Every structure is written in C-alpha cells, then in structure tokens.
Amino acid sequence: MMTNRLTAGENGMQQGGKDKQAWAGSLRRWVSTLAEAAAEALSGRVTSWEISSNLRESRKQWSWDPIAARGLRSELKRIVRRQQKELKMSVSPPAMSLPFIRSVNTAEGLHAREQEVVESIQSTVEDANRSNITRTEAYLSCYEAFPELHWAFLAHMVSRNAGWNMTDLQGGLLSDLTDSEFQVNLFRFLERCNALIFQDAYPQLLLYMHSRKLGEPLFHLLPCFHVSAFMLPFWQHFWQEPDHGAMLAVALILNEQNYIEGRVAQDPYFRSRVLKHPYFRLHELARFNQILFPLGQTEAVTRGVDPFGTSHKLPLRPLAGLTIPRFDSLTARIKAGKSLYGLLFGYEEVHRRALAFARSTPHRGSRSEYWPALFTADKQEAINSGKESSVLMESEWLPSGNRLYSPALESVWQDTPAGPIPRYDWYRSSAKLRHFREPDRPLLLDMTHAHRAQLEKTAMAHDVSHMKQARP
C-alpha cells in the first residue's frame, strides 16, 4: 500500500515537472518571439517609409478656395448669432445635458413633390441602416453614382474598418482577452456610432442626389432630417461649386464627429462601460485604432511579384492607413478624419488602388477580405493553439486550415435597432469652426508593416493568456 502511494506521488511529481518544463519552454519561446518582433518592427518601419515614398509620387489635386472658406465661416458665425438671439427671446428650453434645442421643421406644409422626396429618403435610409454591411455598401453606391461626393468614399472605407473591429470581438485573438460583457458593450458602441453617422449623413447625400435628378437644390429640406444648421451653407455652396468636394468633405467630418460626440462618446453608459474601461485601452493597443485602406491588386501582384521590391514580411496586398491616437477625443477624431481624407484623396495611387479594392471586394466584415492568406472566416479552418505569435513570426502567410479566425459580421452579430436618438443641434458656438481648415497630406502612408507588427503583438498577448491558463 505504501509503495503504491509513493509510486503515485512520484508520478505526480514527474507530471508536475513535465508541466513546469512545458511552461518554461513556452516562456522561452515567447521571449524569443518578442525579440524577433522588435527587430522586425524596426526593419519594417524603414520599409514603410520606402513604400510611402512610392505612393506619394503622384499627388491628386483638390480645390480649396480660401476666399470661399472665409465666406462660409462668416455665414456660420451669423447663424450662431441668430440662434443665440432667438434663444434669448424664446421660452427656456427643457432641462437637458446639452443646452440648445433647435426646433426642427417637419414635412408638414411641403409641396407634394417635396413631401414625396422626404418620404422616399426616409424609407431609403431606414432600409439601408440595418447593419454595418448595408451602410458600407450604400456609401460606395453613392460615390460610384456621384464621385464629386468625396466624403461618401471616405465613409465607405472607414465603415469597412468599423465592421472589422466589430468582428474582432468574436475573432480568434481578441475574444480570449476580454470578457463577454465588454465585448457586447463595445459592439453596441461601435454599432451606434456607425448607425448614427449614417442616420445623419446619408439623408444629406440622398438629398443632393434628388436635387441633381430634379435639377434644383432641395437643401431647405435638411431640417426635415434633423440635420444641423451647420451643414446648410456648405451644401448651398457645393451646389454652386461642385468641384469643392474637399470643403464639403471636411464639413461633413466636423459635423458627423460632433454629432456622435454628445450622443455616443459623452453618453454616461458608453463612457463608463466602454471608453473608460481598462479593456478599451487593450483594444486600442491591439489595433482597434488603426484605420486601414487595403490597396487593390496590380498586374505585378497578380503574377506574384512584390511591387515594391522588398524582401521583408510584405503581404502582396499593401495597406495604407493611419492610427487614431485617442478615440475618446473629439479633436483627435476630427484631425484623423481630415488626415484620412488627405491620404485617400491626396494621392493618385492610394485613391486608385483603394477604389479598386472596394469595387472588387464585397464587404462582409472579415479581415480575410484583405489578407486571405492570414485570416479565415471559417472557424473550423482556424488555428487556436496558443502559439499564434511564434507561428506568425515563422511564416509570412499561414497555410489553409491553420489561419487566424476573422468571422463574417452577420455570423457573429445580429442586426441591432438604433433606438431613440436625442434631437438637438450640436452647432451652437463658432469656436467649433477652428477645425475647418484645408486637410494636410500625411507623409507616412504605408500601414502594412505596422499592422502586421500589431497583429503579432496581439498574438503574443493571446499566447500569454493561454500560458497563464495552462500554468500549473
């Protein structure tokens, strides 16, 4: 009996020793991976500047009229003064967190044709605002029909990124790093931002499209869709000067980011459960704040030739893009939006190839859309070994059946109604006009290596999490 107990004890000690050896081996492998990733990041940074230099060779011109911009600022200042005067003369508005409530015209009293336009737009917006997938598709269709509406294409590309971030929450790496409650709250946050921007901006685009169809401006109908008074002068100017797409795009960037600031970013629920949550910082570090513009394939890429002549871990589909330093900052989001516009419409190569990608690749929310040899939307074909970081460092691509899981949006998240939207006009101070300036063209355009490096860091965090769970 004693012998049996000793034997069992010895076996337990031997097994414990094996477990510790396995864990120590995992730790050594992770440290080695970390050092290799640091070296790769340094060489990748150099290569990114080389690629960016090639992408910057041909500038795409836009029209920015300083005199017209001054005139628009003056008109917007007059609007604020008029609003403040009306507010002083009117009865005090209802108690709300945001002071100025603008009375919104309804469709009552409109001519029959105007009533028809309003109802048509409302129906179209409701149908297209079902999900990130339908919104993203609607933006591209709008741009294809009216390419002078630059913001529509920018919105399409940024909305693609929103969809990828939504599916990351249920993907193979990030889903293990946060709890399910935070994942649901972050999805609701992303979905509400995406839906509210569409709810506000898409009626404006449709109203322009109807105006073009009828041959006369219909922008006096903007209040029927609860659009801020801020946008009226810009649409009136754009009707007269349709080549001033850059000025309208910047105005829409300011409008939409201010629109979601009070309704989402400053909402107490989302601030406490998302933006101020420790997990949100983890998601920012993990690539949540990277905005990517995948570049469509060229003839050289189709033949399997590296178009930039580099030997590093450069996927055959390069990525342009930028990083938003702080999503919870209104100023940071506006600056990032303007820089993204400068990236997408400031360089011929970026614009042409991003559009080629958008046209050839339907949006489904999976990152396999731009790197199909690293990601898969099929969970049964995905890797989940706890050794993702070392696997990524060993190979530029991953073989079929052993790739990172990045699901399609509709397979992991259901359509979510937007819910009640607070109705007020965010534009009540001319101080907001400080951001209405011509965009700059960024110099570092390539995000291929930065995105790959961030992916490897996320994989390391994922592997460490697995190590802790397996540690004896």
Side-chain angles (χ1 to χ4, degrees):
M1 184 73 68
M2 180 66 71
T3 303
N4 290 339
R5 283 200 295 265
L6 288 174
T7 302
E10 289 172 355
N11 288 338
M13 292 177 62
Q14 291 175 358
Q15 183 61 43
K18 291 180 179 179
D19 290 342
K20 290 181 179 179
Q21 289 177 0
W23 187 85
S26 298
L27 181 61
R28 287 193 297 271
R29 183 176 64 250
W30 181 79
V31 171
S32 175
T33 300
L34 184 64
E36 186 178 349
E40 182 66 32
L42 180 60
S43 62
R45 182 80 172 177
V46 175
T47 305
S48 287
W49 277 105
E50 295 174 356
I51 296 173
S52 297
S53 178
N54 291 333
L55 291 173
R56 294 196 308 266
E57 285 183 356
S58 179
R59 282 195 170 195
K60 184 176 175 65
Q61 300 301 319
W62 61 59
S63 179
W64 187 278
D65 185 343
I67 297 177
R70 283 198 298 270
L72 287 165
R73 290 191 194 96
S74 297
E75 175 61 23
L76 287 163
K77 289 177 181 179
R78 284 194 293 270
I79 289 175
V80 167
R81 289 195 296 269
R82 185 168 64 247
Q83 289 175 339
Q84 292 173 345
K85 183 178 179 180
E86 292 175 354
L87 196 59
K88 290 179 180 179
M89 297 174 61
S90 65
V91 179
S92 298
M96 290 185 65
S97 59
L98 294 163
F100 177 62
I101 310 298
R102 182 169 63 93
S103 60
V104 179
N105 295 334
T106 66
E108 296 178 3
L110 299 178
H111 298 300
R113 186 178 64 177
E114 294 174 331
Q115 180 83 29
E116 183 180 345
V117 168
V118 170
E119 292 177 355
S120 173
I121 290 175
Q122 290 173 337
S123 176
T124 301
V125 171
E126 181 179 3
D127 183 60
N129 201 12
R130 293 195 313 273
S131 71
N132 170 263
I133 302 300
T134 56
R135 295 173 207 126
T136 307
E137 180 182 359
Y139 284 137
L140 182 60
S141 297
C142 176
Y143 180 71
E144 293 279 41
F146 298 93
E148 66 270 27
L149 294 173
H150 296 180
W151 185 87
F153 184 39
L154 176 63
H156 168 80
M157 297 302 295
V158 174
S159 189
R160 278 182 179 259
N161 282 264
W164 295 330
N165 286 324
M166 290 175 187
T167 58
D168 282 345
L169 298 171
Q170 300 290 333
L173 298 180
L174 287 177
S175 62
D176 293 338
L177 298 179
T178 56
D179 59 47
S180 58
E181 181 182 2
F182 177 77
Q183 291 168 12
V184 170
N185 285 331
L186 182 51
F187 168 74
R188 289 173 176 169
F189 174 81
L190 295 171
E191 168 66 15
R192 188 154 178 83
C193 287
N194 196 238
L196 262 61
I197 287 175
F198 187 87
Q199 183 74 30
D200 183 72
Y202 197 54
Q204 300 180 54
L205 303 178
L206 291 175
L207 195 57
Y208 173 79
M209 296 165 71
H210 278 277
S211 298
R212 283 283 304 272
K213 179 180 178 181
L214 296 174
E216 61 178 282
L218 299 172
F219 305 117
H220 62 285
L221 299 179
L222 284 171
C224 296
F225 308 102
H226 310 279
V227 176
S228 171
F230 175 83
M231 287 307 305
L232 179 59
F234 291 102
W235 281 110
Q236 291 173 330
H237 175 76
F238 184 68
W239 183 257
Q240 299 295 329
E241 300 290 344
D243 61 330
H244 286 181
M247 298 175 72
L248 178 64
V250 170
L252 282 165
I253 290 169
L254 268 64
N255 182 65
E256 302 316 322
Q257 292 306 318
N258 277 283
Y259 185 80
I260 65 169
E261 176 68 7
R263 294 168 174 86
V264 188
Q266 295 299 327
D267 181 273
Y269 181 91
F270 288 119
R271 286 199 70 78
S272 63
R273 290 171 173 80
V274 177
L275 295 177
K276 296 301 182 183
H277 197 289
Y279 282 151
F280 187 74
R281 179 57 179 162
L282 173 64
H283 274 260
E284 286 190 318
L285 294 173
R287 72 173 179 271
F288 172 75
N289 58 351
Q290 289 183 337
I291 304 296
L292 307 174
F293 294 162
L295 304 183
Q297 294 182 346
T298 63
E299 183 180 356
V301 174
T302 303
R303 293 197 305 268
V305 178
D306 181 350
F308 297 102
T310 58
S311 58
H312 299 281
K313 289 186 178 178
L314 175 63
L316 296 183
R317 185 189 298 283
L319 307 173
L322 296 171
T323 298
I324 303 177
R326 288 184 57 200
F327 192 86
D328 61 346
S329 167
L330 172 62
T331 297
R333 295 198 310 270
I334 291 174
K335 288 182 177 179
K338 292 170 63 177
S339 295
L340 288 168
Y341 176 83
L343 170 63
L344 191 60
F345 282 89
Y347 298 104
E348 290 282 358
E349 185 76 359
V350 174
H351 179 268
R352 180 178 63 82
R353 296 184 62 181
L355 185 57
F357 169 81
R359 287 170 170 168
S360 64
T361 312
H363 176 59
R364 296 293 179 263
S366 172
R367 293 188 183 272
S368 62
E369 292 162 15
Y370 60 85
W371 280 356
L374 270 184
F375 296 98
T376 177
D378 186 350
K379 194 170 186 177
Q380 302 304 316
E381 294 290 320
I383 182 176
N384 188 25
S385 65
K387 301 178 182 179
E388 277 80 344
S389 57
S390 56
V391 171
L392 282 171
M393 292 303 302
E394 291 170 0
S395 176
E396 179 178 350
W397 298 112
L398 301 178
S400 178
N402 203 36
R403 292 170 181 159
L404 301 174
Y405 180 49
S406 179
L409 182 65
E410 293 176 343
S411 70
V412 292
W413 295 113
Q414 296 181 346
D415 293 353
T416 305
I421 302 174
R423 298 300 186 188
Y424 60 87
D425 194 336
W426 64 266
Y427 181 63
R428 55 192 185 275
S429 170
S430 57
K432 298 285 189 178
L433 297 175
R434 69 183 184 278
H435 294 299
F436 182 62
R437 297 286 186 274
E438 182 174 3
D440 294 321
R441 291 175 174 84
L443 297 178
L444 182 59
L445 315 182
D446 176 68
M447 282 286 287
T448 310
H449 293 85
H451 185 54
R452 174 73 190 227
Q454 204 69 14
L455 183 63
E456 291 167 358
K457 291 177 184 177
T458 305
M460 289 179 200
H462 171 270
D463 293 357
V464 170
S465 176
H466 270 250
M467 288 169 55
K468 288 181 178 179
Q469 295 173 13
R471 184 174 182 178

